[in-house]
Amino acid sequence: MPEKTNIGNFFEDFELGQEIVHATPRTLTEGDVALYTSLYGTRFALNSSDALASDLGLPGAPIDDLLVFHTVFGKTVPDISLNAVANLGYARGVFGVPVYPGDTLSAQSEVIGLKENSNGEAGVVYVRSTGQNQDGEVVLDYVRWVMVRKRSSDAPARKPTIPELPGAVDVVDLVAPFLSNPERYTAEISGSPHFWGDYQCGERIDHVDGMTIEEAEHMIATRLYQNTAKVHFNQYEQQAGRFGKRLIYGGHIVSLARALSFNGLANAFKIAAINGGAHTNPTFGGDTIYAWSEILEKFEIPGCEDFGALRVRTVASKDHPCGTFPDKDSDGKPLSSVVLDFDYTVLMIRR
Amino acid sequence: MPEKTNIGNFFEDFELGQEIVHATPRTLTEGDVALYTSLYGTRFALNSSDALASDLGLPGAPIDDLLVFHTVFGKTVPDISLNAVANLGYARGVFGVPVYPGDTLSAQSEVIGLKENSNGEAGVVYVRSTGQNQDGEVVLDYVRWVMVRKRSSDAPARKPTIPELPGAVDVVDLVAPFLSNPERYTAEISGSPHFWGDYQCGERIDHVDGMTIEEAEHMIATRLYQNTAKVHFNQYEQQAGRFGKRLIYGGHIVSLARALSFNGLANAFKIAAINGGAHTNPTFGGDTIYAWSEILEKFEIPGCEDFGALRVRTVASKDHPCGTFPDKDSDGKPLSSVVLDFDYTVLMIRR
Amino acid sequence: MPEKTNIGNFFEDFELGQEIVHATPRTLTEGDVALYTSLYGTRFALNSSDALASDLGLPGAPIDDLLVFHTVFGKTVPDISLNAVANLGYARGVFGVPVYPGDTLSAQSEVIGLKENSNGEAGVVYVRSTGQNQDGEVVLDYVRWVMVRKRSSDAPARKPTIPELPGAVDVVDLVAPFLSNPERYTAEISGSPHFWGDYQCGERIDHVDGMTIEEAEHMIATRLYQNTAKVHFNQYEQQAGRFGKRLIYGGHIVSLARALSFNGLANAFKIAAINGGAHTNPTFGGDTIYAWSEILEKFEIPGCEDFGALRVRTVASKDHPCGTFPDKDSDGKPLSSVVLDFDYTVLMIRR
């Protein structure tokens, strides 16, 4: 009689080159979109309005890129990070074809790196995860690395392999949508007169607003993504743990920061790439999240006159307004109030 | 390099006759409808059942009038009331064509009145806001007035202009739906045998039930409406404020009171007009909302034999059951437990 | 002037053989499905993916059987259990045709048993409730019994009638779906390699994970089902009651336990029957729910080679991990941490 429950993979269970097909394909619907709006208050016009999307030549309002990210990420959790100690980083994340309500997403991962900790208790697993729609088209392709416990500290150490990862996604790898009537995307509709030409490298923007997170909210969000990581849901167990409370899924903070960034980056209508990111400190129910952004790079997209790209670094803080751009201490270590350091590339209409 | 964040308009920024197009058109979907049901527990049959709506000759279940109201209201916030001290009142609110899932709503406002406070710190702005669907048909047209801070108390006072507003929407301005088979709307389906003919002017109804509000609930609702008013979301900032806690969006109480009013007004299948309304006291997470109603007027609708109109005043209270119809003190001031005084016109089948 | 509010039926109001048509038909949508996922984190593949459902020959992903149950149950509350002291049990629950987004459910009940308590204060009402879709097809047919207060303890006692109820739904009464391509349902898609042949009678499975319930979550769920039982929503009133807090709707625990059971029963793709069930102890906001299951019976379905049935007993506990299978004390009484004892029949692919 086989053991029926999934206890997840431990560091020893991963092999370089291993391919894992993740369970539970998920159809995203207008219901998921409404919940996403209600959890973050996002207001980017293209994701909000079928009428605008249709005017621009799209079949309907595309689903928020981060809802796609969370859905694909959630699928990987039971296989990759059920025994994770920490989610360490992201790289080379490229969003592919847009996702519309009714599309069914599935995910698979390839193990591309393994590095055991010197203490023999855990190791870092690098996976390249790919999300596809029902037609096999790639909707997201990204790398993350995560520290996973070993089943046994006696298991022999393996030769480390660390993949080479780019600092940022190359412009030629970005997938830009085709908008047949970009002139119909206006400042009145989007809520901001600031377009691609108005931003400069090095510019910093305080997104001003703060949003307090309730326990019910982050759990509703994380379950929506079918993310099963235990630390987010079980107060009975967590009260005996390191923090005494439930940890909030790091992706929840990414979405909150992105929604807050509307106030200053309202025309960043699409995330095209995730270059990197770190959850620099944990967040908990009751924390109030603020955010600020820095324009890291500004570049044209070859063959595209309608919009350009901005590489943006968005930093989120807890219980710390961002008028002073909280960041790192004199040793280069993130301040204890800084909870997210996210490096991504957005598309913005040129005007 | 222009400042990128929206800090909202101050009293000085408004001009009489000014027209403002609000950002972020919003497609309402079945997802929004499900969330609305889950947040208030509303049970009005016509909004609940596509099958009933179809039997009555409609293309599907129309979206709850108050969800339409909140969506249009939410669009106006970034331009009108981001720097509001208080939302003071409503008048001449008329619901137009019904809204169905898939419709995209956008909003614009005209400044129709301005009156500076005597202390020079703020002023009252009167706006007429209009919500339209993707075909340009009006779905809602209403006036609200709101006290907005001045940017500088040194700014010179302006000549006050106060619009003339009716005490109630005139019956000829009501937009009544056409039901091809009104006889298929039955007491069994709606849950109440009390139709238009059973109500009398002056009648008072205790809606009996009470509903406690959690912080997560009012924030999820208010974000669903893309309403960005800061006081609802940021506990870190509010704890240093006047109340020490987040204020609940007044419209959340309107929707709760309307949902509670089902028990006594189940056949009031549509709100046709908002005649007036005041948020008489603030509400906070943890408050339990009760409601009672008074029938102010009862009138026929010219040319319509299928249903009549009731002008209703619904009063909501917090932590105060409504068996004794809590209202005003001997000076005519609302009791401290009374949080809403809402004057509106509903349609009800005649039988 | 008739009294307009519904105060619900008391024990004296029920008559043997009485038929009650419940109000408010309800169209279930993709919005409801998304909320259901977000509230419980359910991951059963067939309910999650339109693409899989289509591969299997269905028109789309069927709606979770328990969402159907809660919707039908919710409709019965205003007529059956508004004055309930306790919901005592379920029997002979059979799920009929599958429900898809867009279907409108309505419900009716027949009183099939009445038994007054010896103290004359209340009595047990047995009802057979039936949910139908817009075409009149039965989607659910079940019996529940509930203790209902008497309006007056002076009312004369009536002759008791207790219906005969089966211990379990007979296999010939189960409604099995037709899957045209059952081989396309794979372990990779469902997330578990354990199919019908791998389970044995008497086998017990600890579902491992725990989920803490927030007040906002159970209220959002219960309102989604338009369930109006007062004890779930009104903290102001409940603080003076027996427990000092809001009671969680028992069905919320059923859904949580079912979602947790994915870890061990991932291929139990459909609930075909509810044989019985008891809410053995109350649950409250803040409780963490765990679950374990026992395979009670394993049987083939006549004429069906694609899948078999398992009769399962799932026990849920609060603040009590289920590695030791918490159950009953030496007197056969449920432990105080055991909150649900649910007996149901699931379908599982044979392989």
Side-chain angles (χ1 to χ4, degrees):
Chain A
M1 195 167 71
E3 193 63 53
K4 301 296 192 308
T5 49
N6 173 28
I7 57 165
N9 289 312
F10 290 87
F11 183 70
E12 301 95 310
D13 300 322
F14 294 98
E15 298 295 332
L16 202 65
Q18 182 183 0
E19 306 233 359
I20 302 170
V21 176
H22 304 298
T24 322
R26 169 87 154 86
T27 304
L28 288 176
T29 70
E30 291 177 343
D32 300 299
V33 170
L35 266 159
Y36 192 84
T37 301
S38 77
L39 290 163
Y40 305 109
T42 185
R43 291 181 284 148
F44 293 96
L46 185 58
N47 303 126
S48 182
S49 170
D50 281 340
L52 171 62
S54 175
D55 275 355
L56 296 176
L58 300 174
I63 288 179
D64 193 290
D65 301 298
L66 290 174
L67 176 49
V68 171
F69 175 81
H70 298 319
T71 302
V72 173
F73 184 102
K75 308 257 136 285
T76 71
V77 167
D79 299 310
I80 305 298
S81 50
L82 214 56
N83 299 302
V85 181
N87 198 30
L88 298 173
Y90 307 100
R92 209 174 57 197
V94 182
F95 288 93
V97 300
V99 177
Y100 296 100
D103 284 351
T104 300
L105 304 190
S106 54
Q108 51 189 59
S109 295
E110 180 188 353
V111 178
I112 61 168
L114 290 166
K115 180 180 182 299
E116 186 165 320
N117 288 11
S118 54
N119 66 7
E121 302 284 346
V124 179
V125 180
Y126 295 78
V127 289
R128 176 182 179 179
S129 299
T130 311
Q132 297 183 318
N133 66 17
Q134 65 283 355
D135 297 321
E137 296 169 306
V138 173
V139 300
L140 173 64
D141 183 348
Y142 73 104
V143 172
R144 74 162 163 145
W145 53 106
V146 55
M147 189 180 297
V148 178
R149 271 190 290 277
K150 286 177 71 177
R151 182 177 279 111
S152 156
S153 55
D154 299 336
R158 293 182 291 181
K159 185 164 147 286
T161 312
I162 301 177
E164 276 190 49
L165 295 167
V169 173
D170 197 278
V171 62
V172 301
D173 292 326
L174 300 182
V175 180
F178 174 73
L179 306 181
S180 51
N181 305 297
E183 73 284 0
R184 297 199 188 165
Y185 181 105
T186 66
E188 274 187 344
I189 284 175
S190 73
S192 168
H194 309 299
F195 289 93
W196 184 75
D198 298 317
Y199 290 85
Q200 294 181 20
C201 279
E203 183 175 354
R204 297 201 294 184
I205 303 162
D206 169 20
H207 300 305
V208 180
D209 306 304
M211 183 77 72
T212 304
I213 307 173
E214 298 296 317
E215 299 281 11
E217 295 169 351
H218 74 82
M219 295 203 299
I220 286 172
T222 310
R223 284 186 299 244
L224 186 70
Y225 314 139
Q226 297 179 318
N227 178 329
T228 59
K230 299 160 194 278
V231 293
H232 310 315
F233 300 113
N234 187 330
Q235 180 55 29
Y236 182 80
E237 194 171 290
Q238 290 299 312
Q239 74 192 4
R242 182 152 62 116
F243 300 109
K245 40 194 172 177
R246 283 161 279 180
L247 269 165
I248 294 176
Y249 163 51
H252 194 69
I253 307 303
V254 176
S255 280
L256 265 184
R258 165 77 171 154
L260 291 170
S261 81
F262 180 90
N263 196 355
L265 288 165
N267 286 319
F269 71 88
K270 179 172 175 55
I271 298 182
I274 295 173
N275 302 307
H279 304 291
T280 48
N281 279 294
T283 55
F284 306 102
D287 287 347
T288 299
I289 302 300
Y290 292 86
W292 63 274
S293 293
E294 181 178 5
I295 309 301
L296 297 178
E297 291 183 60
K298 178 178 177 177
F299 47 92
E300 299 189 1
I301 296 174
C304 176
E305 309 225 324
D306 297 331
F307 41 83
L310 296 176
R311 184 178 168 195
V312 180
R313 177 184 171 228
T314 293
V315 174
S317 64
K318 60 179 176 185
D319 297 346
H320 191 156
C322 286
T324 56
F325 308 106
D327 198 349
K328 295 170 180 169
D329 64 18
S330 54
D331 297 331
K333 201 178 150 236
L335 296 179
S336 61
S337 62
V338 168
V339 296
L340 175 73
D341 194 332
F342 198 64
D343 178 339
Y344 57 113
T345 300
V346 296
L347 303 183
M348 206 181 264
I349 302 281
R350 296 170 75 157
R351 195 120 318 160
Chain B
M1 195 166 71
E3 192 61 53
K4 300 296 193 306
T5 49
N6 173 30
I7 55 164
N9 289 311
F10 291 86
F11 183 70
E12 301 95 309
D13 299 323
F14 294 98
E15 297 295 333
L16 203 65
Q18 182 184 0
E19 307 234 356
I20 302 170
V21 176
H22 305 297
T24 321
R26 169 88 155 86
T27 303
L28 288 176
T29 70
E30 292 176 344
D32 300 300
V33 170
L35 266 160
Y36 192 84
T37 300
S38 77
L39 289 163
Y40 305 109
T42 184
R43 291 181 285 148
F44 293 96
L46 186 57
N47 303 126
S48 182
S49 170
D50 281 339
L52 172 62
S54 175
D55 275 354
L56 296 176
L58 301 175
I63 288 179
D64 193 292
D65 301 297
L66 290 175
L67 175 49
V68 172
F69 175 80
H70 298 320
T71 302
V72 172
F73 185 102
K75 308 257 135 284
T76 72
V77 168
D79 298 311
I80 306 298
S81 50
L82 214 56
N83 298 303
V85 181
N87 197 31
L88 298 173
Y90 307 99
R92 210 173 56 199
V94 181
F95 288 93
V97 301
V99 178
Y100 296 100
D103 285 351
T104 300
L105 304 190
S106 54
Q108 51 189 61
S109 295
E110 181 187 352
V111 179
I112 61 168
L114 290 166
K115 180 179 182 301
E116 185 166 321
N117 288 12
S118 55
N119 67 7
E121 303 283 346
V124 178
V125 180
Y126 295 79
V127 290
R128 176 183 179 177
S129 300
T130 311
Q132 298 183 318
N133 66 17
Q134 66 282 354
D135 298 322
E137 296 169 306
V138 173
V139 300
L140 173 64
D141 183 349
Y142 73 104
V143 171
R144 75 162 164 144
W145 52 106
V146 55
M147 189 179 298
V148 178
R149 271 190 290 276
K150 287 178 70 178
R151 181 178 279 110
S152 155
S153 55
D154 299 337
R158 294 182 290 182
K159 185 166 148 286
T161 311
I162 301 176
E164 276 190 50
L165 294 169
V169 173
D170 198 279
V171 62
V172 301
D173 293 328
L174 300 182
V175 179
F178 174 73
L179 305 182
S180 51
N181 305 297
E183 74 284 1
R184 297 198 187 166
Y185 181 106
T186 66
E188 276 188 344
I189 284 175
S190 73
S192 167
H194 309 299
F195 289 93
W196 183 75
D198 298 315
Y199 290 84
Q200 294 181 22
C201 279
E203 183 175 354
R204 298 201 294 184
I205 302 161
D206 170 20
H207 300 304
V208 180
D209 306 304
M211 183 76 72
T212 305
I213 306 173
E214 298 295 318
E215 299 280 10
E217 294 169 351
H218 75 83
M219 295 202 299
I220 286 172
T222 310
R223 284 186 299 244
L224 186 70
Y225 314 140
Q226 297 180 317
N227 178 329
T228 59
K230 298 159 195 277
V231 292
H232 309 314
F233 300 114
N234 187 329
Q235 180 56 29
Y236 181 79
E237 194 172 291
Q238 290 299 311
Q239 73 193 5
R242 182 153 62 118
F243 301 109
K245 40 194 172 177
R246 283 161 280 180
L247 267 166
I248 293 176
Y249 163 50
H252 194 68
I253 308 304
V254 176
S255 281
L256 265 184
R258 165 76 171 154
L260 291 170
S261 81
F262 180 90
N263 196 354
L265 288 165
N267 286 319
F269 71 88
K270 177 170 177 54
I271 299 182
I274 295 172
N275 302 307
H279 304 291
T280 48
N281 279 294
T283 56
F284 306 102
D287 286 348
T288 298
I289 302 300
Y290 291 86
W292 63 273
S293 293
E294 181 178 6
I295 309 301
L296 297 178
E297 290 183 60
K298 176 178 177 176
F299 47 92
E300 300 189 1
I301 297 174
C304 175
E305 309 225 325
D306 296 330
F307 40 83
L310 296 177
R311 183 179 169 195
V312 180
R313 176 185 172 229
T314 292
V315 174
S317 65
K318 60 179 176 184
D319 297 346
H320 192 155
C322 286
T324 57
F325 307 106
D327 198 349
K328 295 172 181 169
D329 65 19
S330 54
D331 296 333
K333 201 178 151 236
L335 296 179
S336 62
S337 62
V338 168
V339 296
L340 174 73
D341 194 332
F342 198 63
D343 179 339
Y344 58 113
T345 300
V346 296
L347 304 183
M348 204 180 267
I349 302 281
R350 296 170 75 157
R351 196 122 313 163
Chain C
M1 195 167 71
E3 192 63 53
K4 300 296 193 306
T5 50
N6 173 29
I7 56 164
N9 289 311
F10 290 87
F11 183 69
E12 301 95 309
D13 299 322
F14 294 99
E15 297 294 333
L16 202 66
Q18 182 183 359
E19 306 233 357
I20 302 170
V21 177
H22 304 298
T24 321
R26 169 87 154 85
T27 304
L28 288 176
T29 70
E30 292 176 344
D32 300 300
V33 170
L35 266 160
Y36 192 84
T37 301
S38 77
L39 289 163
Y40 305 109
T42 185
R43 291 181 285 148
F44 293 96
L46 185 57
N47 303 126
S48 183
S49 169
D50 281 339
L52 171 62
S54 176
D55 275 355
L56 297 176
L58 300 174
I63 288 180
D64 193 292
D65 301 297
L66 291 175
L67 176 49
V68 172
F69 175 81
H70 298 320
T71 302
V72 172
F73 184 102
K75 308 257 134 286
T76 72
V77 168
D79 299 311
I80 305 297
S81 51
L82 214 56
N83 298 303
V85 181
N87 198 31
L88 298 173
Y90 308 99
R92 210 174 56 199
V94 181
F95 288 93
V97 300
V99 177
Y100 297 100
D103 285 350
T104 299
L105 304 190
S106 54
Q108 51 189 60
S109 297
E110 181 187 352
V111 178
I112 62 167
L114 290 166
K115 180 179 182 302
E116 186 166 321
N117 288 11
S118 55
N119 67 8
E121 302 284 345
V124 179
V125 179
Y126 295 78
V127 289
R128 175 182 179 178
S129 299
T130 310
Q132 298 183 317
N133 66 18
Q134 66 283 356
D135 298 322
E137 297 169 305
V138 173
V139 299
L140 172 64
D141 183 349
Y142 73 104
V143 172
R144 75 160 163 145
W145 52 106
V146 56
M147 189 180 297
V148 177
R149 271 190 290 277
K150 286 177 70 176
R151 181 177 279 111
S152 155
S153 55
D154 299 337
R158 293 183 290 181
K159 184 165 150 286
T161 311
I162 301 177
E164 277 189 50
L165 294 168
V169 173
D170 197 279
V171 62
V172 301
D173 292 327
L174 300 182
V175 180
F178 175 72
L179 306 182
S180 51
N181 305 296
E183 74 283 1
R184 297 198 187 165
Y185 181 106
T186 66
E188 275 188 342
I189 284 175
S190 73
S192 167
H194 308 299
F195 289 93
W196 184 74
D198 298 316
Y199 290 84
Q200 295 181 19
C201 279
E203 182 174 355
R204 297 201 293 185
I205 302 161
D206 169 20
H207 300 305
V208 180
D209 307 303
M211 183 75 73
T212 304
I213 307 173
E214 298 295 317
E215 299 281 9
E217 294 169 351
H218 74 83
M219 295 202 298
I220 286 172
T222 310
R223 284 186 299 243
L224 186 70
Y225 314 139
Q226 296 179 320
N227 178 329
T228 59
K230 298 159 195 278
V231 292
H232 310 313
F233 300 113
N234 186 331
Q235 180 56 29
Y236 181 79
E237 194 171 291
Q238 290 299 311
Q239 75 193 4
R242 183 153 62 117
F243 301 110
K245 40 195 172 176
R246 284 161 279 180
L247 267 166
I248 293 176
Y249 163 50
H252 194 69
I253 308 303
V254 176
S255 280
L256 264 185
R258 165 76 172 156
L260 292 170
S261 81
F262 180 90
N263 196 355
L265 288 166
N267 287 318
F269 71 88
K270 179 173 175 54
I271 297 181
I274 295 173
N275 302 307
H279 304 291
T280 48
N281 279 294
T283 56
F284 306 102
D287 286 347
T288 298
I289 302 301
Y290 292 86
W292 64 273
S293 294
E294 179 178 6
I295 309 302
L296 296 179
E297 291 184 59
K298 177 178 176 176
F299 46 93
E300 299 188 1
I301 296 174
C304 175
E305 309 225 325
D306 297 330
F307 41 83
L310 296 177
R311 184 179 168 195
V312 181
R313 176 183 172 230
T314 293
V315 174
S317 65
K318 59 179 177 185
D319 297 347
H320 192 156
C322 286
T324 57
F325 307 107
D327 198 350
K328 295 172 180 169
D329 64 19
S330 54
D331 296 332
K333 203 179 150 235
L335 296 179
S336 61
S337 62
V338 168
V339 296
L340 175 72
D341 194 332
F342 198 63
D343 178 341
Y344 58 113
T345 300
V346 296
L347 303 183
M348 205 181 265
I349 302 282
R350 296 169 75 158
R351 196 125 310 167

